[in-house]
Amino acid sequence: ATGSRRRRRSSRWTWPRPGAKPGSVGRAIPGVELRIREPDGEGVGEVLARGPNVMAGYFRNDEATAEVLHDGWLRTGDLGRLDHAGRLIVVGRAKDVVVTASGENLYLDDLEARLGAVDGVSEYCLVGIADPRGGERLGLLAVPEEAEDRVAARDAARLALREAVSG
């Protein structure tokens, strides 16, 4: 996992005001630029930020820095859109999206909400797994509920997950 230690800079990019529009985190503060990378039909894309207070990079990790900083623009990992007045509305996380080899976007939060609680499973996580054809495939990691017979608990959880996914 990549650490998140950053060289000392502020990460504040917007300025919420009293009476701000619900759902908006506000306009960019003076000196900061915001833009949306590859917006979809509704104007939603990854939020990029650039300015003197945007992080300079990860401490002693040039590779991680190169992944998130491009020409001075920080790829925040947030999905959002700018409204007609330049206010930023954050709608989710870009990294919680799996893009399949066919180009389909799978939003993990939406899929997890649709899947809901699964009998016999104490917790689960949907993840993107590299697909040799390009993009990613959807993977599911699960922890069966505690039971005396761990094998039976695992098998019951596996069956419940198959039914929940196919249903």
Side-chain angles (χ1 to χ4, degrees), residues 71-148:
D71 297 324
W73 288 96
L74 173 67
R75 296 182 64 178
T76 67
D78 292 318
L79 289 175
R81 64 182 175 81
L82 295 171
D83 71 8
H84 67 286
R87 293 179 294 241
L88 176 62
I89 294 109
V90 176
V91 299
R93 295 281 302 153
K95 294 178 182 167
D96 292 339
V97 176
V98 169
V99 181
T100 66
S102 65
E104 181 181 9
N105 290 338
L106 303 175
Y107 295 91
L108 302 183
D109 288 342
D110 293 344
L111 293 172
E112 287 177 0
R114 209 165 65 201
L115 190 57
V118 178
D119 289 337
V121 176
S122 64
E123 61 184 299
Y124 65 86
C125 177
L126 296 172
V127 297
I129 300 171
D131 187 331
R133 299 172 297 158
E136 294 178 308
R137 294 181 298 142
L138 189 61
L140 188 145
L141 307 171
V143 177
E145 289 180 346
E146 290 286 329
E148 278 190 41

